[in-house]
Amino acid sequence: MTKPRGRPRHPDVLTPAEWDAVDAVRHGMSYADHARRRGVSRDAVKALVVSARDKLGLADRDAVRAWNGIPADSALAGARAKARRTVVDDAVADATTGGGLQLGPIGQVARHVRDTAASVAWYRDVLGLTHLFTAGDLAFFDCDGVRLFLSPFEGSGGEPSILYFRVPGIHAAVDELTIRGVVFEGAPHRIFTHPDGTEEWMAFFRDPDGHLLALMTQVAPSAS
């Protein structure tokens, strides 16, 4: 029996590289920004997004950003049905008890800085905050359970501080807030996987003044 030539079919709808590019689009990153962070060319990133778009039958980049897919290897795979049932249950609770979605505590605050290395030294050595880790030009500190996220900006100013609210189920929370009239910048997406397999998922939206806010959730590998 002759073995088929070429690379074997990937078990997921997208390859890992395509998922990475799609999540960057859903995070609001430009092709150039994602290419710089990954050390590849802008054309390579664009090709991955186009390939993913064609596989998914989506019309354009905006459709990719709004696509609500979950990678097969994610800790959230298989959890979307449960999340949607939670929305239905919450709607019943709203009608009977006046309850519903409650945003969790603030899990992260983002600040733009001109020089990440200098800011890391200042927040660590002058303020005495616990430095969690640095990934490229992104740095994270612990502020008694609330994470401080430092990222660079270009020009004379940046986005005001972004508040990230913890929620137990990000897809359910997005569905509920969408019902309430919140317009999200893109679909929930995985932004980082820690060495122990814990995933970080986020979804962004804006307040009436146009300032960014975000939902965030951490999912352990055992949740898959």
Side-chain angles (χ1 to χ4, degrees):
M1 182 176 179
T2 303
K3 292 183 179 181
R5 295 182 178 180
R7 184 176 301 173
R9 179 181 177 86
H10 196 271
D12 200 352
V13 63
L14 302 177
T15 67
E18 289 168 344
W19 270 115
D20 193 43
V22 165
D23 280 338
V25 170
R26 299 197 292 191
H27 198 61
M29 294 179 67
S30 67
Y31 292 147
D33 286 342
H34 185 55
R36 176 174 57 83
R37 292 191 185 279
R38 293 301 180 191
V40 297
S41 71
R42 181 185 181 279
D43 288 343
V45 171
K46 183 177 180 179
L48 287 169
V49 174
V50 170
S51 175
R53 183 198 68 194
D54 291 345
K55 286 182 179 180
L56 299 171
L58 300 175
D60 51 27
R61 180 186 171 92
D62 288 341
V64 172
R65 190 167 187 183
W67 180 63
N68 206 16
I70 300 175
D73 66 349
S74 168
L76 278 180
R80 180 177 294 177
K82 180 179 178 181
R84 293 192 182 282
R85 287 196 299 272
T86 300
V87 173
V88 175
D89 293 342
D90 285 347
V92 173
D94 283 347
T96 58
T97 67
L101 173 68
Q102 294 293 325
L103 295 183
I106 292 176
Q108 179 170 282
V109 177
R111 297 295 301 271
H112 283 105
V113 297
R114 287 188 171 83
D115 185 325
T116 300
S119 294
V120 166
W122 190 81
Y123 279 96
R124 181 190 61 213
D125 303 333
V126 177
L127 295 190
L129 298 183
T130 300
H131 179 220
L132 297 173
F133 64 94
T134 296
D137 53 7
L138 311 177
F140 298 83
F141 287 83
D142 176 57
C143 304
D144 194 23
V146 177
R147 197 167 61 187
L148 174 63
F149 167 40
L150 306 180
S151 64
F153 64 85
E154 297 180 358
S156 59
E159 179 82 26
S161 296
I162 304 172
L163 303 180
Y164 296 71
F165 295 95
R166 292 190 184 277
V167 292
I170 195 165
H171 288 87
V174 167
D175 286 346
E176 175 64 19
L177 290 178
T178 299
I179 290 171
R180 298 182 187 183
V182 174
V183 177
F184 282 84
E185 299 279 291
H189 51 281
R190 182 174 57 181
I191 67 160
F192 187 71
T193 301
H194 293 272
D196 67 355
T198 299
E199 297 177 3
E200 303 235 1
W201 283 70
M202 293 184 180
F204 291 83
F205 58 103
R206 294 185 182 272
D207 69 11
D209 293 308
H211 302 317
L212 274 178
L213 297 169
L215 303 180
M216 65 179 291
T217 191
Q218 291 183 323
V219 187
S222 60
S224 57

